[in-house]
Amino acid sequence: MPSNQKVWTVEVRVTLKPSVLDPQGATVQRALHSMGYTELTGARIGKYLQLTFNPGLSRAEVEKQARRMCDKLLVNPVIEHYQLNLIAPQTVTA
Amino acid sequence: MPSNQKVWTVEVRVTLKPSVLDPQGATVQRALHSMGYTELTGARIGKYLQLTFNPGLSRAEVEKQARRMCDKLLVNPVIEHYQLNLIAPQTVTA
């Protein structure tokens, strides 16, 4: 009997806290300025992750696991913030 | 006379194209698996940028400039995709 199972994707955006210096962003900003983009006033660079999970997990379970992964491995809470975004699941017919 | 000027922020999400190998993501996935997160089926890692612009630029102008910066410097079109997201401006009273 086929069952419809939902596959969630979680987007994670990791950014440096505003008080933390971002030398990579500053370098990009200088490079863009020297290319003539003088209207740019700031560039900050972070990480973007897409995590996918086994079908059949609930939204709440996926969010809980993703949050724990961020806290344990993916994000340095001393200098970084993160935001999660759960993307509407695609249905897989198995 | 004070004038209200809008400051736009552009979020850029840069991701590897689906056909491109992502060794960094694979390493993260293996690390998370070995920590017990066995429900994770995939991890892809990209870049996340926040660009801010001089007040007074229109939405269309900001989007045009951000797109050009991505095409010229920030994104490698051979292996990467990008998505822009314009964040509703804060008003600065000058």
Side-chain angles (χ1 to χ4, degrees):
Chain A
M1 199 171 77
S3 67
N4 291 330
Q5 299 202 289
K6 290 174 172 180
V7 174
W8 287 91
T9 299
V10 182
E11 286 186 330
V12 186
R13 284 170 291 175
V14 183
T15 48
L16 288 169
K17 290 185 180 174
S19 58
V20 177
L21 277 180
D22 179 5
Q24 194 186 359
T27 302
V28 164
Q29 192 186 342
R30 267 200 308 278
L32 287 167
H33 262 250
S34 73
M35 289 166 71
Y37 298 103
T38 51
E39 305 280 11
L40 188 76
T41 55
R44 306 272 294 171
I45 299 185
K47 279 180 295 186
Y48 173 77
L49 295 97
Q50 284 175 324
L51 307 173
T52 48
F53 289 85
N54 268 336
L57 287 188
S58 69
R59 182 193 163 96
E61 183 62 27
V62 164
E63 183 172 351
K64 198 175 87 183
Q65 290 213 11
R67 223 169 259 289
R68 231 186 269 151
M69 290 176 196
C70 288
D71 294 335
K72 297 276 182 197
L73 180 75
L74 302 174
V75 177
N76 178 349
V78 178
I79 56 168
E80 291 172 330
H81 272 309
Y82 68 92
Q83 284 180 291
L84 299 184
N85 182 26
L86 274 78
I87 297 177
Q90 297 125 25
T91 300
V92 177
T93 305
Chain B
M1 200 171 78
S3 68
N4 291 330
Q5 299 203 290
K6 291 175 171 180
V7 174
W8 286 93
T9 298
V10 182
E11 286 186 330
V12 187
R13 284 171 292 175
V14 183
T15 48
L16 287 169
K17 290 184 180 174
S19 59
V20 177
L21 278 180
D22 178 5
Q24 193 187 1
T27 302
V28 164
Q29 191 185 345
R30 268 200 309 278
L32 287 166
H33 263 251
S34 72
M35 291 166 70
Y37 298 102
T38 51
E39 305 280 12
L40 188 76
T41 56
R44 305 273 293 172
I45 299 184
K47 279 179 293 185
Y48 174 76
L49 294 98
Q50 284 174 325
L51 307 172
T52 47
F53 288 84
N54 269 336
L57 287 187
S58 69
R59 183 193 161 96
E61 182 63 25
V62 164
E63 183 171 351
K64 199 175 87 183
Q65 290 214 9
R67 222 168 260 290
R68 229 185 271 152
M69 290 175 197
C70 287
D71 294 334
K72 296 278 181 195
L73 181 75
L74 303 173
V75 177
N76 178 349
V78 178
I79 58 168
E80 292 171 331
H81 271 309
Y82 68 92
Q83 283 180 292
L84 298 184
N85 182 25
L86 274 78
I87 298 177
Q90 298 127 23
T91 300
V92 177
T93 305

